[in-house]
């Protein structure tokens, strides 16, 4: 059985003899085992991170940028390979996996501009013959803990910028699909990154707790479910670490009566069922406003029925399986709960059977109509191919619905009315907003992050927010007084 170990100080490493099974979700078969690192594994990684930081933080930003440029070239040549690794362990279609690798690569591309991004501010003569300027310095050893649904892209929201800023980075990827992060680290070494600057330590919550408690680590970047995100935020802050902690979501897509309905339906179908709904920016609630509801539901149903559910090896697949049997059962429970709560089950994905893949973790597209605010399937994140349609009378009720929900990751409105769209983008309490765009995921040079229970901490991921998160601000005030001798001053200096 293939063993997935750690990547420490430029090579594969393992001390713990404890391993966890990794499945192919399309077949339900065990395909590998991943190491559950112990304190010795983590200690080895951190000692190498510490040593590497001393060297790497002294590389000039331009030299760091050149290593990143080389890394970008290597990644570009290996998009297909990385996507295949992602698809096999995650189950998503190959095209979707490629897209996610490219979105990660774009962060590397952004981080290549680090000499410019690290430029501080300068003021001449803040007082007579006194100048003041600011610089941004790296934190030290930074760490990232990432979820299963984007094993390439989410780690790449973090480490390219952390490393470009002069930090060393320790990644603890999801134990469900850990092969891609190891490959990403190997390619970085190939690009000339000094050993130990980027280490990957595998494991589950045990090693996460060791990371949170280790005072050699300066900051924690986390992406995952809300209960864990909240725990990580609290624990990291208690231990004096800088922390950005992104959680779950329940994204609403509003369809106004004046929307182009076919465009809205296409947007909803891709965003609700793409990647089997396992995206933090997936649309899980369609809000039908006014009298378009019947038409909208009919059109969604007709399109959803045509989707091909198949393993990633089938190039015609629209969506693959969910990540694990446990997760599949959790989603099936939600569908039963929705029925019991009185929502109208229009499309039931529970009975799907794919020949040759009977043990895979597949669920077909599922559609509920007449979902209401008090239902569990509305309140909670399902993270599967289950779409709820909520019917409301008017735009004001739809906005109210969005703003009352505990999650605030993404939302979108389909309309042809500029005034309504502007009102919505201004007044919704959500971090990422789309207008006639179903999944408004910001590009690498903007920043990714939600509001409310979707993000704990002050900084979103990547873009300039990433640079700020991974650096400490220092402001220097100086004068060179050869001839002036004014004696000690006891009052606050003013101009
Ligand atoms: P998860 O919270 O179960 O796991 C995330 C990471 O935390 C993993 O590395 C895991 O090993 C670790 N972990 C799990 N339980 C832990 C615990 N009790 N203590 C310490 N560490 C623990 O999330 P997941 O199932 O891998 O990913 C899906 C979730 O991630 C969804 O809720 C999704 O919305 C969210 N997500 C959010 C974003 C975002 O940007 N907001 C992006 C992607 C995924």
């Amino acid at each position: 059985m293939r063993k997935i170990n750690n990547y420490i100080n430029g090579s594969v490493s393992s001390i713990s003899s404890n391993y966890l099974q990794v499945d192919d979700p399309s077949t339900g078969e065990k395909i590998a085992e991943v190491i559950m690192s112990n304190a010795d594994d983590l200690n080895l990684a951190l000692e190498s991170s510490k040593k590497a930081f001393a060297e790497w933080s002294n590389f000039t930003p331009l030299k760091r940028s050149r290593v990143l440029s080389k890394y970008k070239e290597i990644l570009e040549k290996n998009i297909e390979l990385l996507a295949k690794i992602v698809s096999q362990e995650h189950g998503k279609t190959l095209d979707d996996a490629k897209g996610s690798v490219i979105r990660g690569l774009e962060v590397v591309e952004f981080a290549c501009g680090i000499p410019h991004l690290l430029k501080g501010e300068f003021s001449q003569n803040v007082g007579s013959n006194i100048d003041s300027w600011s610089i941004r310095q790296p934190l030290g050893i930074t760490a990232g803990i990432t979820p299963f649904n984007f094993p390439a892209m989410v780690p790449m929201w973090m480490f390219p910028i952390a490393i470009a800023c002069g930090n060393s980075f320790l990644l603890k990827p999801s134990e469900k699909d850990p092969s891609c992060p190891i490959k990403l680290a190997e390619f970085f070494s190939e690009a000339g990154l000094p050993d130990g600057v980027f280490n990957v330590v595998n494991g589950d919550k045990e090693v996460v707790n060791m990371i949170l408690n280790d005072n050699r680590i300066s900051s924690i970047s986390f992406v995952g479910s809300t209960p864990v995100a909240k725990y990580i935020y609290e624990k990291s802050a208690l231990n004096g670490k800088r922390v950005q902690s992104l959680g779950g979501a329940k994204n609403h897509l509003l369809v106004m009566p004046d929307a182009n309905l076919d465009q809205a339906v296409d947007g909803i179908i891709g965003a609700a069922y793409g990647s089997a709904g396992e995206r933090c920016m997936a649309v899980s609630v369609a809000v039908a406003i006014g009298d378009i509801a019947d038409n909208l539901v009919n059109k969604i149903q007709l399109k959803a029925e045509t989707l091909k559910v198949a393993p990633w090896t089938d190039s015609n697949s629209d969506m693959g399986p969910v990540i694990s049997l446990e997760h599949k059962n959790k989603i099936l429970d939600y569908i039963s709960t929705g029925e019991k709560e009185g929502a109208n089950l229009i499309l039931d994905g529970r009975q799907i059977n794919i020949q040759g893949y009977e043990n895979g973790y597949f669920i077909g597209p599922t559609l509920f109509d007449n979902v209401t605010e008090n239902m569990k399937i509305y309140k909670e994140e399902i993270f599967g191919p289950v779409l709820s349609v909520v019917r409301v009378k008017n735009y004001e009720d739809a906005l109210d619905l969005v703003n009352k929900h505990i999650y605030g990751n993404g939302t979108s409105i389909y309309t042809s009315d500029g005034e309504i769209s502007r009102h919505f983008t201004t007044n919704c309490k959500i971090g990422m907003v789309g207008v006639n765009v179903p999944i408004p995921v910001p590009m690498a040079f903007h920043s990714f992050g939600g509001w409310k229970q979707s993000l704990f901490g002050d900084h979103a991921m990547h873009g300039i927010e990433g640079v700020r998160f991974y650096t400490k601000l220092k402001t220097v005030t100086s004068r060179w007084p050869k001839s002036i001798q004014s004696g000690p001053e006891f009052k606050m200096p003013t101009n």
Side-chain angles (χ1 to χ4, degrees), residues 205-366:
K205 61 183 178 189
E206 266 185 53
V207 79
V208 171
N209 280 324
M210 292 182 227
I211 289 170
L212 301 181
N213 286 323
D214 199 299
N215 60 19
R216 288 169 287 185
I217 297 172
S218 306
S219 74
I220 304 287
S221 302
F222 175 86
V223 177
S225 58
T226 286
V228 184
K230 192 160 182 285
Y231 166 73
I232 299 273
Y233 175 69
E234 289 169 354
K235 187 90 182 165
S236 307
L238 196 67
N239 289 337
K241 297 186 197 312
R242 187 174 283 205
V243 52
Q244 51 179 179
S245 195
L246 277 61
K250 195 81 182 176
N251 305 313
H252 295 51
L253 187 148
L254 278 55
V255 186
M256 290 292 291
D258 62 7
N260 178 322
L261 205 52
D262 290 327
Q263 278 179 14
V265 169
D266 281 343
I268 289 169
I269 291 285
Y273 301 121
S275 201
E278 290 175 326
R279 290 182 182 138
C280 66
M281 288 294 273
V283 165
S284 46
V285 180
V287 186
I289 301 169
D291 58 12
I292 45 103
D294 288 342
N295 228 344
L296 179 71
V297 173
N298 286 342
K299 281 180 181 265
I300 295 174
Q301 179 185 359
L302 288 177
K303 273 245 155 107
E305 279 169 348
T306 67
L307 297 184
K308 180 159 191 193
V309 183
W312 67 276
T313 42
D314 181 337
S315 57
N316 292 319
S317 172
D318 292 310
M319 59 181 261
V322 298
I323 188 70
S324 65
L325 187 58
E326 188 194 0
H327 192 50
K328 176 176 171 174
N329 288 334
K330 193 173 153 198
I331 298 166
L332 297 183
D333 279 352
Y334 271 115
I335 300 175
S336 307
T337 304
E339 265 187 315
K340 281 187 213 128
E341 287 178 315
N344 190 3
L345 184 56
I346 306 273
L347 251 184
D348 184 353
R350 285 176 293 189
Q351 303 311 330
I352 195 157
N353 185 21
I354 297 168
Q355 221 185 344
Y357 294 88
E358 288 78 6
N359 296 325
Y361 312 137
F362 292 94
I363 302 181
T366 299

Side-chain angles (χ1 to χ4, degrees), residues 55-212:
E55 180 194 355
W56 181 244
S57 55
N58 279 317
F59 269 52
T60 62
L62 197 56
K63 279 195 178 146
R64 298 202 292 258
S65 162
R66 286 184 188 134
V67 176
L68 281 150
S69 297
K70 182 81 189 143
Y71 186 40
K72 177 178 155 292
E73 272 172 37
I74 296 172
L75 292 176
E76 276 164 349
K77 286 190 196 126
N78 288 285
I79 292 171
E80 184 88 16
L81 169 74
L82 292 165
K84 279 185 178 158
I85 298 172
V86 169
S87 288
Q88 192 186 23
E89 289 181 4
H90 177 281
K92 63 177 80 179
T93 66
L94 196 57
D95 278 348
D96 192 25
K98 268 190 219 166
S100 73
V101 171
I102 292 168
R103 288 309 283 270
L105 207 156
E106 286 165 1
V107 181
V108 178
E109 206 163 16
F110 170 77
C112 289
I114 201 67
H116 176 71
L117 293 165
L118 284 180
K119 282 194 303 195
E121 294 175 322
F122 179 86
S123 298
Q124 193 173 35
N125 280 341
V126 291
S128 299
N129 296 318
I130 300 176
D131 302 330
S132 196
W133 69 91
S134 61
I135 46 181
R136 294 209 154 261
Q137 295 186 318
L139 305 179
I141 305 176
T142 56
I145 300 154
T146 52
F148 78 82
N149 66 324
F150 285 108
M153 183 181 82
V154 170
M156 289 165 97
W157 285 352
M158 304 171 181
F159 72 78
I161 299 181
I163 289 172
C165 289
N167 300 287
S168 49
F169 192 90
L170 177 105
L171 175 65
K172 202 305 281 176
S174 170
E175 61 277 30
K176 297 189 176 111
D177 43 14
S179 291
C180 189
I182 297 281
K183 204 75 208 155
L184 290 172
E186 284 171 0
F187 284 148
F188 220 159
S189 291
E190 205 180 308
L193 189 73
D195 292 345
V197 177
F198 183 28
N199 290 327
V200 182
V201 169
N202 281 303
D204 59 8
K205 61 183 178 189
E206 266 185 53
V207 79
V208 171
N209 280 324
M210 292 182 227
I211 289 170
L212 301 181

